[in-house]
Amino acid sequence: MDNRQAIGSWLSGPRAAMEEAGADFGYRGEQLGLPEHGPNSIARPGRRLGALAVDWALCVLIAYGLITDGYRAPATSNWALGVFFVLSVLTVGTVGFTPGKRLFGIRVVALRTGTVNPGRALLRSVLLCLAIPALVWDRDGRGLHDRLAKTVEVRI
């Protein structure tokens, strides 16, 4: 083994090394019974981050324009988090997506029933606002907040 192979295997991570050894991990969402591509497949991280950015920008605009009236930047950020929480609970708990998720073609579904009830939306939103659970992903690409709420973000 030359140095390029050693460095390449280290950079690609343990999953690539295991796949090279013959392990079959399948595709994201296979364990959940979701299709690999198309509608109802797991939403990719780029779409999810784009939707989050749109939702956060919308919440900052609402907080800046309606609540803090442009005063004190830290207060605007705190109010934006509160607006984000309310937006997430209300929209995900009723229609299954936020404005940003709809723009990027994503919806949140419960694994067993397919619809997210307000209790699951509340739990998911609390964990999402804590930020750390959203940064811990499983093999299917679901954040810890989705795992604990038993939900998944899928493509429309």
Side-chain angles (χ1 to χ4, degrees), residues 42-110:
I42 295 247
R44 298 289 180 211
R47 284 180 182 238
R48 295 191 332 231
L49 288 173
L52 180 65
V54 168
D55 290 335
W56 183 254
L58 180 66
C59 292
V60 167
L61 284 174
I62 291 170
Y64 182 81
L66 299 179
I67 300 171
T68 63
D69 198 29
Y71 297 113
R72 296 182 298 249
T76 302
S77 296
N78 292 336
W79 278 105
L81 184 62
V83 171
F84 180 80
F85 174 75
V86 170
L87 175 81
S88 180
V89 170
L90 292 178
T91 58
V92 171
T94 56
V95 293
F97 49 79
T98 61
K101 286 183 187 354
R102 182 66 181 116
L103 183 67
F104 280 83
I106 300 172
R107 68 185 167 117
V108 179
V109 297

